[in-house]
Amino acid sequence: MTSRFDHRKYRAFPVIRKTDRRWPDQTISSAPQWCSVDLRDGNQALIEPMTVAQKQRMWALLVKMGFKEIEVGFPAASQPDFDFVRWLIEENQIPEDVTIQVLVQARDELIERTYESLIGARRAVVHVYNSTSPVQRNKVFGLSQQGIIDIAVKGARKVADEARKYPATEWVFQYSPESFSSTEVQFATEVCNAVIDVWQPTPDNKAIINLPATVESAMPNVFADQVEWFCDNVNRRDSVTISIHTHNDRGCGVAAAEMAILAGADRIEGTLLGNGERTGNMDIITMAMNLYSQGIDPELDISIADDIIATVEACTNIKTHPRHPWVGELVYTAFSGSHQDAIRKCLAQQSDDEPWDVAYLPIDPQDLGRNYQSVIRVNSQSGKGGASYLLEQALGVTFPRWMQIEIAQPIQKESERREGELNTQDILNVFRTTFMNSDGRYSLAGYQVDKHGSQYHIQASVNDGSQMMLVHGNGNGAISAFADAMHKATGLDAQIVQFDEQAVAEGSDASAMAFVQASIRGSRYTAVSQDGDTLTASLTAILSAINKAMIDSQAVA
Ligand code: KIV
Ligand code: ZN
């Protein structure tokens, strides 16, 4: 069988030959006017449309996040949408500063029914649309360009006429040339100008013209050219809010919306996490977080990210991808050892009063309610940085570098053995059994240290099974004096190769942790001990290293 995968079946999207392109030199410096279409476009795309309870939950979230414009349904086409609009109005669910929006096709009877759904609303956007692209004109409607303009103009007139019947409501009119991005831009502008002529908006009473990429069919720079061309040629630009409604067929829904803002648009329609027809609507969370990460107030509260995800999942029955931009479960997690190491170093240097500057973390995960525990996760790819970081957080200490290297090996072995990820408790268990296990032949019962000039003398009582040994030794510090005492008593010469001690962070029972590496009979033994007394912690760590050497020599014997 021959493959049907044949690129010759498709044509390149025609680009606009523009010589006055200005948008590439623009920057975004403030949030656009947001409009959530979760309850309309998002809802229309669900396998199971939202129940009343789900709509109410989604509405509550959108209001809590700070949306000021929310498209709540298509009331003339759906009884549940009609009932939901009535519930919002009759139950006084719409805050003073929030405006609801409803969608309707440019058909008289549907427009009439739409206004009925809105009776009693303080303020509402009536959003009317018809399709304008060549494929819709030629193959779906069988209409000429004039036929499409006539539908739009008739719809616009009906919208204005019906509004006059309900003067108690503050009405805002919105028109969408559906499939704008696939329409010849000159024709799309002609249709919109005809609608604007009907509505006669003013700077104090603006109309909204919404430009949909109903199907995303070109690169986002092409869309930006279309929007810039439109902004330059639309009538009464100062009386029109230019809105953008992109879909994500090529995966560039957010990029296209951002570039459209550069090209002059004022308003963005989209959905939370991008639910919508086919590959979805423009994802407002991603675009808002893109702004936030550039130091721009998104004017939406995304700090409740986990609440947003839980609500969207519960209302749409669609799981959020763990690598979803900004808010996915794994997006602030580093498994790679070099990434973990870099994150750890940068976090240690990051202070609260400086701009955020941490390798591999474009924003502070805490802003979204994520903690640093989840930033670093340990598997067999992780190396030394990650495990040390998690241990340091759990134990309240900072490990010396040599100790970080020591820790890495047993952790790596354990994760290879398990063929999977280790959590903080697993890592603590490995650390304690490898380095803090003081089981063995000797244990410290007591000691006394005296200093004579620069020399230290120690006398210590050491349990050796059922017997008590009294050991004596000298050195240029208490630690070397103890090593000397144990050498004399047991014949085991413990050369201290590494030694560090750390105060344990407040709140812990013990105040000191000692890290010792001793060379005994040609092998290195590392031990860690924690105690309320610094010297006791150090001496216990040395004994623990000696115990390990004893266990090893018994194993060899
Ligand atoms: O994608 C689209 O074109 C729409 C319009 C109805 C605005 O959702
Ligand atoms: Zn849409």
Side-chain angles (χ1 to χ4, degrees):
M1 201 173 90
T2 51
S3 166
R4 286 179 52 83
F5 190 73
D6 183 355
H7 62 276
R8 287 168 300 188
K9 203 161 147 187
Y10 304 101
R11 282 162 300 171
F13 190 84
V15 298
I16 303 183
R17 297 274 159 227
K18 229 171 169 294
T19 52
D20 60 346
R21 187 175 288 118
R22 299 165 324 272
W23 63 263
D25 292 327
Q26 305 303 311
T27 50
I28 302 180
S29 56
S30 60
Q33 197 177 320
W34 299 111
C35 175
S36 152
V37 295
D38 290 86
L39 288 159
R40 197 280 297 171
D41 217 359
N43 187 43
Q44 282 184 304
L46 294 175
I47 299 173
E48 291 276 354
M50 291 182 219
T51 61
V52 174
Q54 285 170 320
K55 279 189 186 161
Q56 291 173 348
R57 185 168 169 188
M58 176 64 84
W59 166 262
L61 173 72
L62 296 168
V63 170
K64 184 170 164 190
M65 289 177 66
F67 281 95
K68 301 300 172 213
E69 289 177 333
I70 303 173
E71 191 165 74
V72 291
F74 199 154
S78 138
Q79 188 61 39
D81 281 12
F82 190 100
D83 295 343
F84 181 64
V85 177
R86 292 313 307 152
W87 175 80
L88 287 170
I89 297 167
E90 284 165 21
E91 300 296 324
N92 279 322
Q93 295 294 318
I94 309 167
E96 269 295 294
D97 59 349
V98 175
T99 300
I100 55 169
Q101 172 172 316
V102 291
L103 182 73
V104 61
Q105 271 169 5
R107 283 172 40 195
D108 285 3
E109 68 287 7
L110 298 183
I111 294 170
E112 282 166 22
R113 177 91 175 133
T114 301
Y115 275 90
E116 279 162 27
S117 78
L118 291 166
I119 289 172
R122 183 189 45 78
R123 186 171 192 268
V125 179
V126 177
H127 177 187
V128 62
Y129 75 98
N130 66 316
S131 283
T132 54
S133 65
V135 67
Q136 296 273 2
R137 294 193 312 256
N138 302 333
K139 296 193 174 163
V140 183
F141 296 103
L143 283 173
S144 64
Q145 290 192 342
Q146 191 54 52
I148 297 294
I149 294 174
D150 291 346
I151 293 175
V153 167
K154 187 162 172 277
R157 283 202 187 113
K158 182 70 177 167
V159 163
D161 290 347
E162 285 301 304
R164 275 188 282 276
K165 292 187 188 160
Y166 306 96
T169 300
E170 185 186 333
W171 297 111
V172 179
F173 303 149
Q174 171 166 332
Y175 172 72
S176 289
E178 199 217 60
S179 60
F180 163 81
S181 61
S182 308
T183 304
E184 310 85 332
V185 70
Q186 298 82 353
F187 177 60
T189 312
E190 194 184 334
V191 181
C192 292
N193 281 339
V195 169
I196 290 167
D197 277 354
V198 174
W199 286 342
Q200 304 272 317
T202 64
D204 294 332
N205 186 20
K206 291 189 183 190
I208 301 170
I209 297 293
N210 186 48
L211 305 179
T214 305
V215 176
E216 181 174 57
S217 40
M219 282 167 63
N221 60 305
V222 176
F223 186 64
D225 279 351
Q226 292 171 319
V227 172
E228 191 173 70
W229 198 96
F230 185 89
C231 289
D232 286 346
N233 291 282
V234 68
N235 291 344
R236 299 183 185 234
R237 176 67 188 89
D238 63 348
S239 305
V240 171
T241 299
I242 307 270
S243 179
I244 297 297
H245 176 114
T246 54
H247 282 259
N248 198 36
D249 298 79
R250 296 169 53 100
C252 302
V254 169
E258 288 175 333
M259 290 190 192
I261 294 288
L262 297 179
D266 313 296
R267 181 182 190 264
I268 295 291
E269 292 192 347
T271 60
L272 303 180
L273 306 172
N275 172 47
E277 290 285 7
R278 304 178 308 284
T279 54
N281 281 72
M282 200 299 305
D283 175 4
I284 292 189
I285 298 295
T286 300
M287 184 164 169
M289 285 305 299
N290 288 355
L291 296 175
Y292 180 76
S293 66
Q294 300 295 304
I296 298 165
D297 179 358
E299 293 172 25
L300 288 176
D301 184 4
I302 322 274
S303 71
I304 51 170
D306 289 340
D307 189 6
I308 296 171
I309 290 174
T311 305
V312 171
E313 290 186 354
C315 296
T316 61
N317 292 320
I318 296 174
K319 286 265 161 260
T320 305
H321 196 285
R323 300 212 179 271
H324 191 100
W326 300 112
V327 293
E329 195 204 318
L330 289 180
V331 300
Y332 303 106
T333 302
F335 286 102
S336 135
S338 64
H339 290 204
Q340 293 178 347
D341 205 41
I343 291 172
R344 200 176 142 272
K345 285 178 183 149
C346 295
L347 285 179
Q349 292 168 58
Q350 178 68 42
S351 67
D352 285 347
D353 52 1
E354 281 174 338
W356 183 256
D357 190 22
V358 174
Y360 302 110
L361 288 182
I363 62 151
D364 182 350
Q366 295 200 92
D367 297 353
L368 298 178
R370 303 285 162 84
N371 62 27
Y372 292 132
Q373 294 298 318
S374 62
V375 169
I376 287 181
R377 285 170 59 174
V378 174
N379 64 13
S380 59
Q381 303 295 305
S382 303
K384 65 185 180 333
S388 297
Y389 179 79
L390 293 182
L391 284 170
E392 286 176 352
Q393 300 293 302
L395 297 170
V397 287
T398 305
F399 290 128
R401 188 152 174 82
W402 66 268
M403 190 68 217
Q404 288 176 20
I405 296 164
E406 290 300 309
I407 290 165
Q409 212 193 13
I411 300 289
Q412 171 106 2
K413 262 198 188 149
E414 179 64 5
S415 72
E416 280 168 6
R417 189 184 70 77
R418 295 221 209 161
E419 296 181 352
E421 190 190 340
L422 303 184
N423 64 28
T424 305
Q425 192 52 52
D426 300 328
I427 295 165
L428 269 171
N429 291 343
V430 174
F431 177 74
R432 288 195 173 119
T433 35
T434 313
F435 301 109
M436 296 188 80
N437 179 2
S438 54
D439 290 355
R441 182 161 164 180
Y442 304 119
S443 64
L444 188 66
Y447 61 87
Q448 192 187 323
V449 179
D450 304 301
K451 196 175 176 204
H452 305 286
S454 61
Q455 277 293 298
Y456 285 75
H457 175 76
I458 193 165
Q459 176 180 304
S461 312
V462 175
N463 278 317
D464 176 7
S466 55
Q467 302 177 38
M468 180 71 78
M469 295 194 301
L470 203 58
V471 301
H472 296 267
N474 299 304
N476 51 11
I479 299 185
S480 56
F482 185 59
D484 179 51
M486 288 304 292
H487 185 197
K488 285 176 183 149
T490 65
L492 280 176
D493 184 8
Q495 299 286 331
I496 307 297
V497 182
Q498 301 281 6
F499 172 75
D500 276 275
E501 58 190 10
Q502 286 270 321
V504 175
E506 272 174 51
S508 167
D509 297 343
S511 59
M513 192 173 271
F515 311 89
V516 167
Q517 190 173 66
S519 169
I520 305 170
R521 290 183 179 147
S523 298
R524 290 191 172 193
Y525 296 94
T526 302
V528 178
S529 180
Q530 192 171 354
D531 197 277
D533 176 75
T534 319
L535 187 53
T536 306
S538 309
L539 302 185
T540 323
I542 293 169
L543 265 190
S544 174
I546 293 172
N547 280 337
K548 285 173 185 233
M550 296 293 292
I551 292 167
D552 262 10
S553 62
Q554 279 157 13
V556 171

